[in-house]
Each structure stands twice: as structure tokens, then as C-alpha cells.
């Protein structure tokens, strides 16, 4: 019984000793669990920072490794552009009443300036769109492949309100 | 490897291009064996040493550091056309052929892009002429500026019939053709394959081409599967090619300085 207690005490003190050694903070006392938790976080943060630095340093060496990148593309790519999706676009060119809007897809779309509140929409404005078709294509009679217009089709829903933009940011967080 | 050796052999003949050139895959001997204008042995060995340097080291121009798969993803390089526009020969480069919209596998793109940039760097290092071709009117200004900024050439207008194959008559005798042609879009305005691809192949000029999912990659020496319709993607390609060419040219200048310092008796070429 006494031997067991001694063993347990011995283990605990060894653990405390190792945790205090790995920590370079001012909490050198190892009597309370609270300080151990605080010390643990600092140790973890420093370890993470070191790992990141090591990763950055070794990134050029690893750049030729294909398995790592394969995971990256598969993890990066989630969704295919879908029809009837509401997105936020950015106007990059204006020709009188036609607004050329880029919404992050392969092609841009061209929408007519709306009658109500249209003067506010200039180059650089952000707008809400409903994407009807990410690429306008059709197969004509006698053709081997589809003929593409190199444009998307979307309906302009209106300018992006400031409150909506903030709400979206909060939702993402 | 064979293409690189071929280009190296052709680079050795700066003034003569014609049917009298016989190149073979017999190692590093072409610059001396097949040159009709015989240079002094000393300049030949120095130039050979400089030209062999990139062949000895792996990735001398650090091309693999220039971009990551994430950069390609952010530039929307993986977006292809619709399933109906797909070219049969692009299917190996697609991520998933069952989707309605083609998605190009960026792992393959990254590998191919590195190879293409490496080839461009080698050509620029050896003093070769690089010609950028793109028939997309949307990006013609961008391509021309890129070529200007890296001291190379661009052709973004209508391609007349015999520009490569009939060059000696259209431009004059003894004209020098490009040593590498970079297609930033392999299609012309009517969605057919650009004539220069076939002509470059006929004239044994290696080609680098960005092939979208509706293009034919078979005649291009270094195809790079990727999006050629989005401005972000085109800007990325232009930036990469420009960086690589400038890097290679700077490296060449460095090597020339080093060699001129070590051998002061070398005549300036």
C-alpha cells in the first residue's frame, strides 16, 4: 500500500518535473494544476510556432512530393459550380448599361443595369447574383462539340448591402 | 531529354538553319560535331560548360518554388468547360469525368507546369528566342506586355499561312525562327486548333501550351492542362513565365561574368 502510494507520488512528481522543464515561462512552481494548464498552453503555442517555422523551411525541399499535393487538391476542391446558386459578384467593367460581373466562376456574366438604384453600381461594386448557368453552351445540329459563348448567365438581384456583408462574415466566423 | 538535346544542338547553330543539319542522339557532341561555322575550341568549351550547368543540377532555376497547388486553385486554373465541349484526349487530365463541368486535376497540372517552366528557363538560359502566342483578344494586351517585360516576343494577331514554314520567303533569307513557342491559348478565334502548333511541329520547334478541356493536347510538346479563359489564370501564367525567363537570363549573365572573370582572354560573343 505504502509502496503503491510512493510509486504514484513518484510518477506525478516526474510528470510535473518534465512539464516544468519544457516550459520557459515564469510559472516555475509546480504545485497547482492551474499553473500547469497555463504552462501547457504556452508550451503548445511555442511548439506550434516551431513546427510552422520548420514546415516553412522545409517546404522548398518537399515541393517535389506529389502525394502531399494530391491531398491538397482533393481537400481544396469541394463543389462544382451549380445552377441556381446565389453568389456575390464584383463588377469589373461597365459599358453604359451593361455590367460585366465576375463571381468567382470560370466566366463572367453580363447584366443590364437595373432601373432602380442603377447609378450606384459602378466599377468595383459588389452585387448579389443568381447564377442561372455558369457557362452558356449548346450543341447545334451537325456539330461534334458544343458551341460555347464564353459567358455565364445570371440575374442581378441587387447591390450587396453593408449589413448583409457583415452578417455573412459573422456567419463564416 | 531528346527534345532538350535537340534544342541544344539547334542553339549551337546560331546562323544556319536548314536541311543540312544532322542531329543525332549521341550525347553532348552536337555543338562541335555538326556546326558548320567552326568556333575556337576555347569558347566552345566555355559555352558548353555554361550550357551543361542546368543539365547537371536538378531544378537549377528553382522552378518548383514559384507556385503551389493552392495558388493554382485560387487562380481558378482547375475550372474547365462543360462536359459537351470536352476533347476526348483531355480526359486523362480531368479530375472526375462524370461531372457536368470539367475539373482539371491540379496535381497533374502542377507537375506539367513545372516541366514547362523548366523547359522555358533552359531555353532562355541558352539564349533562345521564345515566342508567346495567344489568339484571345481579351488577353492580347497582357501577353504582349509580358513578352515585352521579359525581352521576348509575342504574336497575338492573325496568323498568316507560312510564317514558320515559309519564313525565308516571307521575311527574307537567313531569318532565325523561335527556339520555343509558348501558347497561352491553343485555340484561335473560331475554336479550332491554332495553325502555329502544327507548323512549329513541322519545323521541329518545341512548344509549351496551356490546354483547356476543349483543346487537343497531342501535338504540343509540353502541354499544361489548365484554364485559359479566366483573367486571373492568364495573369498567373504570364507572371510565372515572365519570372522564369528573367531568372534564367539573370543566371546566364551571372555565369558569363564568372567565366569572363576566370578567363580574361575569352573573346566576347
Amino acid at each position: 500500500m505504502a509502496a503503491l502510494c510512493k510509486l504514484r507520488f513518484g510518477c506525478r512528481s516526474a510528470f510535473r518535473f518534465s512539464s516544468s522543464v519544457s516550459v520557459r515561462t515564469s510559472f516555475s512552481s509546480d504545485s497547482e494544476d492551474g499553473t500547469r494548464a497555463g504552462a501547457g498552453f504556452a508550451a503548445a503555442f511555442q511548439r506550434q510556432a516551431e513546427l510552422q517555422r520548420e514546415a516553412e523551411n522545409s517546404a522548398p525541399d518537399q515541393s517535389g512530393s506529389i502525394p502531399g499535393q494530391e491531398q491538397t487538391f482533393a481537400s481544396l476542391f469541394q463543389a462544382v459550380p451549380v445552377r441556381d446558386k446565389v453568389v456575390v459578384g464584383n463588377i469589373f467593367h461597365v459599358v453604359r448599361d451593361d455590367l460585366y460581373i465576375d463571381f468567382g466562376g470560370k466566366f463572367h456574366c453580363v447584366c443590364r443595369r437595373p432601373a432602380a438604384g442603377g447609378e450606384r453600381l459602378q466599377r468595383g461594386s459588389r452585387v448579389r447574383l443568381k447564377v442561372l448557368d455558369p457557362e452558356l453552351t449548346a450543341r447545334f445540329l451537325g456539330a461534334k462539340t458544343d458551341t460555347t459563348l464564353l459567358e455565364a448567365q445570371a440575374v442581378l438581384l441587387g447591390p450587396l448591402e453593408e449589413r448583409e456583408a457583415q452578417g455573412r462574415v459573422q456567419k463564416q466566423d | 531529354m531528346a527534345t532538350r538535346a535537340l534544342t541544344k544542338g539547334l542553339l549551337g547553330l546560331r546562323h544556319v538553319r536548314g536541311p543540312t543539319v544532322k542531329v543525332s542522339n549521341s550525347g553532348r557532341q552536337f555543338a562541335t560535331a555538326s556546326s558548320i561555322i567552326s568556333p575556337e575550341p576555347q569558347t566552345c568549351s566555355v559555352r558548353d560548360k555554361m550550357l551543361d550547368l542546368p543539365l547537371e543540377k536538378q531544378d537549377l532555376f528553382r522552378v518548383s518554388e514559384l507556385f503551389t497547388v493552392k495558388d493554382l486553385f485560387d487562380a481558378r486554373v482547375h475550372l474547365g468547360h462543360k462536359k459537351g465541349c470536352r476533347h476526348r484526349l483531355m480526359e486523362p487530365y480531368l479530375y472526375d469525368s462524370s461531372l457536368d463541368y470539367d475539373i482539371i486535376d491540379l496535381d497533374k497540372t502542377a507537375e506539367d507546369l513545372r516541366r514547362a517552366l523548366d523547359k522555358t528557363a533552359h531555353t532562355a538560359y541558352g539564349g533562345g528566342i521564345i515566342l508567346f502566342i495567344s489568339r484571345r483578344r481579351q488577353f492580347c494586351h497582357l501577353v504582349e506586355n509580358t513578352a515585352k517585360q521579359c525581352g521576348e516576343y509575342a504574336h497575338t494577331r492573325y496568323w498568316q499561312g507560312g510564317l514558320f514554314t515559309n519564313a525565308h520567303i516571307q521575311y527574307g533569307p537567313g531569318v532565325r525562327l523561335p527556339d520555343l513557342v509558348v501558347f497561352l491559348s491553343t485555340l484561335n478565334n473560331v475554336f479550332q486548333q491554332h495553325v502555329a502548333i502544327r507548323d512549329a511541329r513541322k519545323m521541329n520547334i518545341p512548344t509549351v501550351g496551356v490546354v483547356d478541356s476543349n483543346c487537343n493536347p497531342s501535338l504540343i510538346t509540353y502541354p499544361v492542362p489548365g484554364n485559359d479563359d479566366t483573367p486571373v489564370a492568364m495573369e498567373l501564367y504570364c507572371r510565372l513565365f515572365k519570372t522564369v525567363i528573367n531568372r534564367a537570363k539573370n543566371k546566364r549573365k551571372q555565369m558569363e561574368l564568372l567565366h569572363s572573370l576566370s578567363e580574361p582572354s575569352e573573346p566576347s560573343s
Side-chain angles (χ1 to χ4, degrees), chain B residues 29-186:
Chain B
Q29 308 298 324
F30 339 124
T32 42
S34 57
S35 60
I36 293 161
I37 304 163
S38 51
E40 292 103 23
Q42 198 176 27
T43 24
C44 220
S45 66
V46 166
R47 212 203 307 155
D48 270 352
K49 255 190 269 172
M50 280 204 286
L51 287 176
D52 285 340
L53 181 67
L55 295 177
E56 285 157 13
K57 282 200 198 165
Q58 186 103 3
D59 204 9
L60 177 72
F61 306 104
R62 297 184 330 270
V63 150
S64 36
E65 291 172 4
L66 285 175
F67 66 94
T68 58
V69 174
K70 180 86 172 50
D71 293 334
L72 296 180
F73 186 82
D74 290 334
R76 308 180 216 162
V77 165
H78 60 291
L79 297 175
H81 287 269
K82 253 196 204 170
K83 194 173 172 179
C85 297
R86 188 192 301 173
H87 196 282
R88 191 177 50 93
L89 295 171
M90 285 301 288
E91 270 162 30
Y93 296 114
L94 298 180
Y95 183 60
D96 187 354
S97 13
S98 60
L99 298 171
D100 213 20
Y101 295 91
D102 291 339
I103 302 292
I104 295 166
D105 191 356
L106 283 184
D107 304 315
K108 296 181 185 133
T109 300
E111 206 185 303
D112 288 334
L113 186 55
R114 266 181 213 119
R115 210 174 289 146
L117 289 172
D118 203 40
K119 171 64 186 169
T120 316
H122 277 67
T123 311
Y125 179 84
I129 293 180
I130 296 171
L131 181 68
F132 288 92
I133 293 184
S134 167
R135 199 60 183 100
R136 292 293 304 263
R137 289 184 66 184
Q138 199 179 358
F139 309 119
C140 118
H141 184 69
L142 172 70
V143 169
E144 285 177 347
N145 274 349
T146 307
K148 214 188 284 185
Q149 281 161 14
C150 59
E152 295 297 340
Y153 304 85
H155 187 103
T156 56
R157 313 286 167 176
Y158 176 73
W159 182 269
Q160 283 179 330
L163 284 188
F164 281 166
T165 44
N166 207 17
H168 295 293
I169 296 177
Q170 290 198 347
Y171 287 113
V175 72
R176 184 178 162 187
L177 291 178
D179 299 299
L180 178 73
V181 178
V182 178
F183 285 92
L184 289 160
S185 165
T186 51

Side-chain angles (χ1 to χ4, degrees), chain B residues 60 162 214 236 248:
Chain B
L60 177 72
N214 58 348
L236 175 80

